Amino acid sequence: MKYWILTFAILIFGCKNKREKPLTLELTDPILIECDSMSKKAETDYKNGIREYTIMGLVYATELEMYYSDYMKRNYNITMKANCVPTFLDECYAQSMVFEIEEEYGENFMKLTREKAELEFNSKRK
């Protein structure tokens, strides 16, 4: 019994001492400064009428996807793009653009418009 307690104590205290500090980024790290710069660019672009929604990752150009892209352009003047291999800075810009879009049109705007476009697409196919 004594050995079990001793082994348990060594494991607990040994693990605590060997934990590495998690990596933290300072606000002055170059990548965060660049990300902030891309966020400001997205905000400026949005104010200047450039409205782009970028889908990150692989997207198949199905009829529905093409219809959704046209729906967004027609109804909201938002251009849809796809980026198969986004960089960190691409994601900074895209997330900031989504923030700007949702500031104007409301939370979950992209999800709600997709559902509306899908309903419209399906009704036109019948």
Side-chain angles (χ1 to χ4, degrees), residues 108-124:
N108 294 323
F109 173 75
M110 303 313 290
K111 180 183 176 202
L112 296 172
T113 55
R114 175 148 180 102
E115 291 169 0
K116 288 178 186 176
E118 193 170 344
L119 287 172
E120 191 176 291
F121 175 77
N122 289 332
S123 70
K124 288 185 177 191

